[in-house]
Each structure stands twice: as C-alpha cells, then as structure tokens.
Amino acid sequence: MPDPSTLSFYEAYVINVYDFKLAESETRRSINKALKTNKELSLKIQTKIYALLYSTYSESSFMKMILTPYGFEQKYVDEILRQDNIQKKWLKCLDLAFIKFSESQKGSEIPNKKLNLSRIIEKYIVSPSVIRNKLAHDQLTIALIRTNTKLSPDMTNEIGSLDFVTIYRWFKINEYLTRIIEDLIESPNVAHHNHYYGVYQELEKFISKTVSWNIQTKMKNN
C-alpha cells in the first residue's frame, strides 16, 4: 500500500473526483438544454467547458487510482509519477497492476486483456490528451504547434469539431478503466472473478454500443 502519509491526499482526491462527477452531470444537463433549444453559441461554449472539465477530472481520477489504499506500494506510485508524460504514466500503471494481479493468476488470457486495455488507453486516454492539453493551456479555439511558433490548422479543426457525446464517452471510459485497475491492485486474488473481469466486459460492451453515437442519435433518444 502507499505510504500512510499519502492517505490524506487520497481522501482529497476522493472528494475531488466525486465533485467532478457532479459537475459533469450539471454541465451535461446544460448542454442538453442548449441542444433542445437550438442555442448554438451556448452549445459551443458549454462543450469546451465540458472538455476542460474532463481534462481536470482525468488527472484527479488517475491520482485517486494510484493512491488507493491497499493498492500499489509507495515505490510503485513513485515509479508511475516519474514517467514524463500521460501515455507512459498510464501504461506503467497498467503494467504494474498486471504484475500484481498475475502473481495470483495464470493463463494466456492475461496478456491478451492487458494488450486490449493498452489499446483502449492509447485511443481514449492518450490521444484525447493532446486536445485537452491545448484547451487547458490557453488555446480554447485556435491551436498552435507544440513549440508555439506557428499555428496548427489541423488541431484547430479538431478542437472545433469536438462534440459533447465524444467527451461523454471519454468520461465513461476513463471511469471504467480506473475501476478495472483499482480492482487489479486492491484485490488481485479475487478481482478476476468477482470484480475486474465483470467491469472489463462492461467496458467492452460500452465501447461497442456507443461507437456510432453522435449528437443526432443522442437527440433522437432524448
């Protein structure tokens, strides 16, 4: 488990994540209202706020996950945090979670599931992080390249084409992933049958069910 001195930080992140989820629900409600009343400017602004909210939620939920009591030893928490970007942090976290889990489980399905989760992290956590970083670092509408020496039309188009359904999927997939990893590190002896695999299946079903979702299909289902 992490050093006992980090417990207060974990408890702080529990509260922060909970409040982020309340904020997500309220923001999504505002977006739905803007959609129903055809308020395009409000929809555009609220969608970018929604993306910024996800950016901060993602960081907070990640910290809550790696500091969870009875999970990673402190040396592993430190190893994760030493990684120099979000991709390496998430993949290091996943590697260490499966090492802990594999100590009590055998079978070829473990590397297969790990590979699939790695791909999901790359697609739904790492790739969106580029857009999130632009929004969080003063580029709400017009993006610049990484060195801030010229404009980036491609990234500007990506920011402009953001829709709240895509961001909602980021929220849900992030939540599934953190639940899976918490199960792996908190209860490796029982997680496969009692927790981890059930959530893993839920995640796969959610991705499959929502892959074709867009604003138009969302409005039809309201």
Side-chain angles (χ1 to χ4, degrees):
M1 63 183 294
D3 189 283
S5 65
T6 67
L7 180 59
S8 61
F9 298 116
Y10 169 76
E11 292 171 342
Y13 282 117
V14 169
I15 294 171
N16 288 337
V17 168
Y18 177 79
D19 284 348
F20 274 127
K21 289 181 179 179
L22 291 179
E24 185 275 331
S25 180
E26 287 298 313
T27 305
R28 183 157 41 89
R29 188 175 291 112
S30 296
I31 290 172
N32 277 321
K33 184 177 180 180
L35 273 171
K36 291 176 181 178
T37 56
N38 293 316
K39 294 183 177 179
E40 293 186 8
L41 179 58
S42 179
L43 175 61
K44 182 178 179 180
I45 293 171
Q46 291 289 341
T47 298
K48 290 183 179 180
I49 291 173
Y50 198 38
L52 283 167
L53 182 65
Y54 174 70
S55 176
T56 48
Y57 162 79
S58 180
E59 293 178 14
S60 191
S61 64
F62 183 81
M63 291 301 300
K64 171 182 172 290
M65 174 180 68
I66 65 172
L67 291 175
T68 184
Y70 310 106
F72 286 129
E73 291 83 353
Q74 187 62 43
K75 64 180 180 180
Y76 294 137
V77 174
D78 294 339
E79 186 176 352
I80 292 167
L81 294 178
R82 276 198 300 270
Q83 307 305 308
D84 57 13
N85 60 48
I86 188 173
Q87 178 183 30
K88 292 179 181 178
K89 287 178 181 177
W90 267 94
L91 295 181
K92 174 60 70 175
C93 182
L94 185 66
D95 284 342
L96 294 173
F98 268 97
I99 288 172
K100 191 176 180 71
F101 178 61
S102 299
E103 291 173 355
S104 60
Q105 302 289 335
K106 305 295 180 182
S108 61
E109 80 281 359
I110 291 176
N112 291 336
K113 289 169 187 169
K114 179 183 172 184
L115 178 60
N116 191 34
L117 287 170
S118 297
R119 289 170 175 164
I120 292 171
I121 288 170
E122 290 280 358
K123 184 172 183 178
Y124 295 104
I125 301 291
V126 177
S127 294
S129 71
V130 179
I131 298 175
R132 296 199 313 268
N133 288 341
K134 296 297 183 184
L135 293 173
H137 293 91
D138 68 30
Q139 297 169 41
L140 191 64
T141 303
I142 306 298
L144 284 71
I145 64 172
R146 188 172 183 178
T147 57
N148 289 344
T149 54
K150 58 189 294 189
L151 300 180
S152 175
D154 290 342
M155 186 56 62
T156 296
N157 288 337
E158 286 195 53
I159 292 172
S161 63
L162 272 178
D163 66 83
F164 93 98
V165 175
T166 297
I167 302 166
Y168 171 74
R169 292 183 77 228
W170 292 351
F171 268 102
K172 296 300 293 183
I173 291 169
N174 188 299
E175 185 177 348
Y176 279 120
L177 286 168
T178 55
R179 285 173 59 195
I180 288 169
I181 293 177
E182 284 177 0
D183 283 337
L184 289 173
I185 63 177
E186 283 190 308
S187 54
N189 293 321
V190 297
H192 183 74
H193 298 291
N194 296 348
H195 302 289
Y196 147 71
Y197 188 58
V199 181
Y200 176 89
Q201 288 181 309
E202 289 178 27
L203 172 58
E204 288 195 315
K205 288 178 182 176
F206 177 80
I207 291 173
S208 177
K209 181 180 73 173
T210 63
V211 68
S212 61
W213 279 11
N214 54 42
I215 290 179
Q216 287 70 35
T217 59
K218 178 67 173 62
M219 290 301 295
K220 286 180 182 179
N221 292 327
N222 275 352

